[in-house]
Amino acid sequence: MINQYLGPIYLTLAASIWGGMYVVSKMVLTIIAPLELVWFRYIVALLTLVAFGIATGQSWKIDKKDIPLILLIGLVGYFLSIWAQFAGTQLSSAQMGAIITSATPAFMVIFAKILLKETITLRKGISVCLATIGVLCIIGVGDVGNSSKLGGIILGGAALTWAFMSVLIKKVPGGYSQLVVTTYAILAATLAMTPFVITNINLIQIQHVLLEPLVWSGILYLGIVSTAGAFFFWNKGLQLVDATRAGVYFFFQPLVGTLLGYFFLGEQVGIGFWIGTALIIGGVLLVVKDPS
């Protein structure tokens, strides 16, 4: 009986942690650039995952035929999508970051059809339309500046790429440990972004910045909790819940993100956010209630 609830528990934990991540990253991004923050976050996550993998005696062997899939998961999901989340959040707000990327479940419907051959019903099609309109409502709020609108567009791209990655995970053979898959995918993303970080990093400035308690504590949280922990929980949950319905648990992210953004960052909640949020939630609820 408990196995029936493990998938939802894993997915809920991951999404709730990511809701808090937007608030932490918004504060840390006032001091450090998005790409550098993601890179430091992944270094911490890799050390955590490898240490835990060794301690638990994980098998690190991956068949050659599965390597391209895991590399694609790392590059699309952990590199492009996460960079877009951080960059978009820096240009907008923690609330916008949490809410727009919650369009991910509706996008997962499309990719599930393409990659997993799941049927797109009328209900699922309407859900995608509602979620898309919801994202546009949030991006197009009249009282936000051009910077916030650009941030919203980038966050929309983050939602799209994360949905693609989430469906790709369903194609990974079930015999592999999700801790090992997560580790290799993060390693691929880290190696891909390293040349960009080395080219642009200011070592003297970074040494000074890393002495700031807000920065190093934020990096530790982002690396250990919201990356090593939450990525593992999300991947594990996707193993146990079908791709179309797994996305509903993503909505713990905007709920937690909006709540924490209001309390800790003093962010205001306007009518555009509520309209967009209602449309996105309505779209995903349609998917969840689809009996097919």
Side-chain angles (χ1 to χ4, degrees), residues 190-203:
T190 305
L191 293 176
M193 68 177 65
T194 296
F196 300 99
V197 173
I198 292 176
T199 301
N200 296 290
I201 198 169
N202 184 324
L203 293 178

Side-chain angles (χ1 to χ4, degrees), residues 60-91:
W60 298 93
K61 183 179 179 180
I62 299 289
D63 289 341
K64 290 183 179 180
K65 63 181 178 62
D66 298 319
I67 292 176
L69 176 60
I70 294 176
L71 288 177
L72 189 60
I73 290 171
L75 295 177
V76 172
Y78 299 161
F79 181 18
L80 292 178
S81 184
I82 297 300
W83 170 83
Q85 286 181 30
F86 276 59
T89 300
Q90 185 183 45
L91 292 172

Side-chain angles (χ1 to χ4, degrees), residues 148-208:
S148 291
K149 291 180 181 179
L150 175 60
I153 293 171
I154 294 174
L155 287 165
L160 191 67
T161 49
W162 190 261
F164 180 52
M165 183 276 298
S166 294
V167 176
L168 284 178
I169 288 173
K170 297 289 290 182
K171 296 178 71 67
V172 175
Y176 293 130
S177 162
Q178 279 304 314
L179 186 146
V180 172
V181 171
T182 303
T183 302
Y184 281 135
I186 292 177
L187 176 61
T190 305
L191 293 176
M193 68 177 65
T194 296
F196 300 99
V197 173
I198 292 176
T199 301
N200 296 290
I201 198 169
N202 184 324
L203 293 178
I204 296 178
Q205 181 182 20
I206 286 297
Q207 288 175 359
H208 175 73

Side-chain angles (χ1 to χ4, degrees), residues 42-53 179 183 220 223-225 228-229:
Y42 282 175
I43 294 297
V44 173
L46 281 173
L47 293 174
T48 303
L49 288 167
V50 169
F52 192 75
L179 186 146
T183 302
L220 288 177
I224 298 173
V225 181

